[in-house]
Amino acid sequence: VIAEALEILEDDGKCTLVVSQGSVSQTVTVNAESNVNSTQCFPMSIPLTGFKDGNLSYSVTYVSDKSAGVFSNGTITIQ
């Protein structure tokens, strides 16, 4: 997953991806760095071990000393 915080230019933030299906959950946290007009999270990936075919929900959270935000409505389908 690639994510960015639009109109925020910071180099001290962290991005966290949480993917879940029922009682199974995987989490990864990566650094973020500014580019021309946003702050971009480093690429985030998680193993699919433990997930079954069907829908997974995911959220991405960005947090720094000055800013915070969350996208929490994502769905991924495994077939």
Side-chain angles (χ1 to χ4, degrees), residues 35-49:
N35 60 28
V36 175
N37 58 4
S38 66
T39 296
Q40 188 167 15
C41 305
F42 284 42
M44 297 175 278
S45 62
I46 55 144
L48 295 177
T49 306

Side-chain angles (χ1 to χ4, degrees), residues 1-73:
V1 171
I2 303 275
E4 65 182 335
L6 297 175
E7 299 180 13
I8 294 174
L9 300 174
E10 301 174 340
D11 289 320
D12 65 338
K14 301 278 187 189
C15 300
T16 301
L17 169 67
V18 179
V19 179
S20 57
Q21 182 185 52
S23 63
V24 178
S25 182
Q26 296 277 354
T27 302
V28 63
T29 299
V30 298
N31 290 328
E33 65 182 4
S34 63
N35 60 28
V36 175
N37 58 4
S38 66
T39 296
Q40 188 167 15
C41 305
F42 284 42
M44 297 175 278
S45 62
I46 55 144
L48 295 177
T49 306
F51 294 117
K52 299 178 181 179
D53 288 354
N55 290 335
L56 311 175
S57 57
Y58 73 92
S59 65
V60 177
T61 303
Y62 174 77
V63 176
S64 74
D65 289 339
K66 298 178 184 177
S67 306
V70 63
F71 173 80
S72 59
N73 303 24

